[in-house]
Amino acid sequence: MGLRVVVVGVPGVGKTTVVEGLVSEYSGAKLVNFGTMMLKTGLSLKWIKNRDDIRKLTVERQRRLQKVAASKISKMKDRTVVVDTHLFIRTKEGFWPGLPFDVVRALRPTHLVLVQASPEEVAKRRAADSRRYRDSVTMDDLAEELGLARSFLAVSSTLTGAPMLMVNNSEGKAADVASEIASMLRGAVA
Ligand code: ATP
Ligand code: AMP
Ligand code: MG
């Protein structure tokens, strides 16, 4: 059976760290970062300068980049594909879905994985990561985002029929979380 694993979570929770660990221990897994796909198109159109500019575009432009990325990923033929992406985006026009129906249908997930951490951990990781220009939000805003993530996840699970696994990326435990997901996937193909 082919696996299409869609890994989601709020910005700075540690998705990319976890999925990089996952693909290094789950042989044959192909990692694709949805935002990188959007970035490439956005750069070629000269709409943005970096990946953290994407969410500042109009929703109409973000939607155009989102559709192109989903279409490219839908054509990937690898046996195991791990997609690093977002359930929703905090835009100037409000929270906007990262996996609307056409996108989640194109991705065809077999498994949905939500990476979680406490609001305090997420705030600390956002502040400490100088490679990115993440939004600084209040602890209340972060708690809201973490709660919203579970709601959006349940919608994606219901739309696709894919099970949703929620993992806790506690401080210093990213490698353990990667192993937990790898072990779940091994069980899924056994
Ligand atoms: P984005 O959605 O913005 O791409 P992300 O969810 O991919 O964010 P990462 O870039 O993986 O987040 O991680 C954000 C920061 O948190 C990085 O500096 C990373 O090294 C750190 N980090 C990730 N997981 C952990 C962990 N378990 N313990 C401590 N630091 C962590
Ligand atoms: P990331 O490095 O995962 O933060 O991806 C860069 C940016 O791409 C994110 O901050 C979002 O603006 C955008 N992005 C990623 N996945 C999606 C998605 N499924 N739908 C819309 N935008 C996305
Ligand atoms: Mg990331």
Side-chain angles (χ1 to χ4, degrees):
M1 174 181 106
L3 293 176
R4 297 182 66 93
V5 188
V6 173
V7 180
V8 289
V10 302
V13 73
K15 297 177 295 297
T16 302
T17 309
V18 166
V19 295
E20 283 174 353
L22 170 63
V23 298
S24 69
E25 82 163 80
Y26 194 90
S27 78
K30 172 83 179 169
L31 175 58
V32 54
N33 184 299
F34 197 106
T36 301
M37 296 279 193
M38 291 177 69
L39 175 67
K40 283 184 186 157
T41 312
L43 286 173
S44 70
L45 291 167
K46 298 199 170 20
W47 286 354
I48 47 174
K49 291 200 163 51
N50 65 65
R51 62 201 306 123
D52 288 299
D53 284 343
I54 300 174
R55 64 178 177 276
K56 295 167 191 156
L57 293 168
T58 61
V59 164
E60 193 207 338
R61 283 192 165 186
Q62 290 180 64
R63 179 83 174 121
R64 282 164 66 185
L65 301 182
Q66 186 189 51
K67 281 183 180 236
V68 173
S71 166
K72 285 184 179 159
I73 296 168
S74 74
K75 295 186 181 108
M76 290 173 64
K77 297 270 184 274
D78 305 74
R79 188 162 174 74
T80 303
V81 179
V82 178
V83 185
D84 175 351
T85 190
H86 293 246
L87 286 164
F88 60 88
I89 318 298
R90 184 187 280 274
T91 76
K92 291 177 189 158
E93 296 164 59
F95 290 117
W96 171 64
L99 300 176
F101 184 46
D102 61 309
V103 172
V104 83
R105 189 177 48 196
L107 297 183
R108 304 187 305 282
T110 57
H111 296 83
L112 295 162
V113 178
L114 175 63
V115 179
Q116 304 185 109
S118 70
E120 292 75 18
E121 285 168 330
V122 175
K124 197 171 135 204
R125 289 173 199 169
R126 284 188 189 181
D129 188 359
S130 56
R131 302 166 304 173
R132 297 290 300 266
Y133 306 95
R134 294 196 181 85
D135 297 333
S136 49
V137 295
T138 65
M139 225 40 104
D140 283 352
D141 287 338
L142 267 181
E144 181 187 36
E145 286 185 19
L146 291 159
L148 265 181
R150 289 189 209 115
S151 306
F152 274 93
L153 183 73
V155 173
S156 289
S157 179
T158 303
L159 286 176
T160 58
M164 50 189 224
L165 178 74
M166 292 180 268
V167 292
N168 289 318
N169 184 25
S170 314
E171 203 58 18
K173 298 287 181 199
D176 293 357
V177 177
S179 299
E180 183 185 342
I181 302 168
S183 145
M184 178 277 284
L185 295 177
R186 284 186 201 104
V189 292

